[in-house]
Amino acid sequence: MLDNYSRNINYLRLSITDRCNLRCFYCLPRQGWVKLPAREILSYEEMLRLSRVAVQVGIRKIRVTGGEPLVRRGVAPFLEQLHRIRGLEKICLTTNGVLLAEMAADLYRIGLRHINVSLDTLKPERYVEITGSDQLAVVLAGLEKAAALGFHPIKINFVVLRGINEDEVVDFALFSRENPFQVRFIEFMPTVSREKWSSHFLPMSVVRQRLKVLGEPQPVARIATAGPAQIVRLPNYRGELGFIQAVSEHHCPSCNRLRLTADGRLRPCLFQAQEVDLKGPLRWGAGDEELGLIFRKAVALKGLGHRFASPATPLDCRPMVSIGG
Ligand code: SAM
């Protein structure tokens, strides 16, 4: 699907729940956030139908996210059905990894191979501070199990937080020397509060500078459905490093994504409040063609840039937990 700026929109991020088993301070607001009533959340059948329509209109890659997708009952059979959609070239899952050790074998069996695991520290006490839960050991066990089973690629999402985990930037890079993981350094985005963001935002230029002690990185070529990360490789590393600088450098000119929230709303841009309802028409009996037109309408609404880093821009983003990142 080409948008008004000739970008090919072929990537859908599908949030299957707004529930999460962690409480990361930068993702889930401590106050004022209300879970969706169950009836508002799309059923798996509804999501599968919308995914088929999405493929008909040009989506080639779907990332299943949340909330925490692995807390939704029936996620493995759902993913299995998703893998049966003809024309869908790539299916990925983003998880916090807490349930990965127990679910990895099932997920592998149904055909899933691409996973992203969010992990912001390798220090147990700090893990509790960031997430509100003492789960680092199980997440690491999940990563080990996933690697042993043969998941590939395994990507680690590391949100760099000034004054909190910035001292672990090199440790995380080294983690990808010892393991076949792609460690992705992500700039903290102002989605929960501007104050928190101002206190903890660290530009990617600083991260890259700190990594220079490890040697000269070699860029890795992009593939067509790839996201915004710039990927590099260091000599003799088993894994790779990725940089996602969503704040300090716009990825918008190469954005290829749409987001579908768990309550069935298409979001053309992470940082614009504007959404297009799909659930209403779906539940009122719209046909595939009509639903396809709604996808196209959302694509036509995609803007060319965002200004969310500017203090003058109102914070009109839903928290990440209810969009899916
Ligand atoms: N529960 C899953 C997980 O933890 O990966 C999927 C949902 S989570 C919202 C998806 C990603 O968004 C995670 O990697 C998380 O770290 C990231 N994220 C959440 N809030 C963010 C923010 N303000 N800035 C940058 N990344 C954020």
Side-chain angles (χ1 to χ4, degrees):
M1 260 178 298
L2 285 186
D3 74 357
N4 293 335
Y5 305 96
S6 302
R7 294 172 296 193
N8 184 14
I9 311 305
N10 55 12
Y11 173 17
L12 178 70
R13 296 181 65 102
L14 174 61
S15 173
I16 64 166
T17 178
D18 64 340
R19 275 48 169 183
C20 191
N21 45 2
L22 294 180
R23 293 283 173 272
C24 301
F25 78 91
Y26 62 82
C27 181
L28 199 151
R30 289 285 184 261
Q31 287 161 352
W33 181 72
V34 184
K35 282 185 210 157
L36 289 166
R39 67 177 180 283
E40 297 300 335
I41 295 181
L42 295 178
S43 67
Y44 284 137
E45 290 70 24
E46 289 173 326
M47 287 181 191
L48 287 167
R49 166 127 188 254
L50 292 179
S51 300
R52 279 185 209 105
V53 172
V55 171
Q56 279 162 22
V57 294
I59 294 294
R60 295 289 170 264
K61 166 177 170 182
I62 291 185
R63 174 174 301 284
V64 172
T65 176
E68 170 48 40
L70 298 187
V71 301
R72 183 158 177 186
R73 225 176 314 146
V75 63
F78 165 69
L79 284 164
E80 188 169 15
Q81 295 294 323
L82 207 56
H83 278 84
R84 295 203 178 132
I85 296 181
R86 297 207 20 208
L88 187 54
E89 293 165 9
K90 200 163 172 185
I91 297 167
C92 317
L93 174 85
T94 296
T95 169
N96 59 31
V98 170
L99 296 171
L100 191 56
E102 65 184 82
M103 296 177 73
D106 253 4
L107 296 174
Y108 192 84
R109 185 185 50 75
I110 58 91
L112 186 72
R113 295 293 180 268
H114 302 259
I115 51 170
N116 286 27
V117 178
S118 304
L119 182 61
D120 301 324
T121 178
L122 295 169
K123 299 179 192 285
E125 312 80 58
R126 191 174 279 173
Y127 189 92
V128 177
E129 273 168 43
I130 295 175
T131 68
S133 194
D134 186 8
Q135 304 282 3
L136 178 61
V138 286
V139 175
L140 294 176
L143 278 169
E144 204 179 313
K145 177 110 187 237
L149 282 163
F151 279 90
H152 186 80
I154 299 176
K155 299 182 183 175
I156 302 207
N157 288 351
F158 172 77
V159 179
V160 188
L161 300 160
R162 178 152 65 94
I164 295 185
N165 62 5
E166 57 173 307
D167 56 337
E168 292 188 73
V169 161
V170 168
D171 293 346
F172 266 78
L174 292 174
F175 199 46
S176 81
R177 184 178 68 184
E178 312 306 332
N179 299 284
F181 303 148
Q182 185 186 96
V183 171
R184 296 138 60 90
F185 298 95
I186 301 177
E187 275 181 347
F188 178 31
M189 298 174 238
T191 55
V192 168
S193 92
R194 279 218 179 273
E195 294 67 38
K196 280 198 181 87
W197 182 67
S198 309
S199 310
H200 301 302
F201 172 69
L202 190 77
M204 201 50 69
S205 52
V206 177
V207 174
R208 286 180 191 266
Q209 187 63 33
R210 290 187 186 170
L211 291 175
K212 283 200 168 154
V213 293
L214 299 175
E216 195 52 48
Q218 302 301 318
V220 173
R222 281 174 59 84
I223 54 164
T225 50
Q230 294 164 22
I231 311 299
V232 302
R233 193 174 259 287
L234 281 160
N236 304 320
Y237 274 51
R238 294 181 70 197
E240 297 169 332
L241 304 181
F243 301 96
I244 303 184
Q245 43 199 104
V247 178
S248 61
E249 191 182 273
H250 281 200
H251 298 135
C252 309
S254 60
C255 180
N256 62 345
R257 44 183 77 182
L258 271 183
R259 294 174 166 82
L260 180 57
T261 63
D263 56 342
R265 302 180 72 80
L266 274 175
R267 214 177 153 99
C269 168
L270 178 57
F271 294 105
Q272 283 167 4
Q274 198 172 28
E275 292 178 348
V276 182
D277 183 31
L278 259 179
K279 183 181 65 191
L282 173 76
R283 290 189 178 173
W284 300 325
D288 285 359
E289 206 165 311
E290 198 178 331
L291 295 171
L293 286 173
I294 299 174
F295 274 95
R296 291 186 193 285
K297 179 175 163 195
V299 162
L301 289 172
K302 278 180 78 67
L304 194 53
H306 64 69
R307 292 173 43 79
F308 68 91
S310 153
T313 306
L315 247 194
D316 56 7
C317 189
R318 293 203 210 195
M320 286 290 203
V321 68
S322 60
I323 305 177

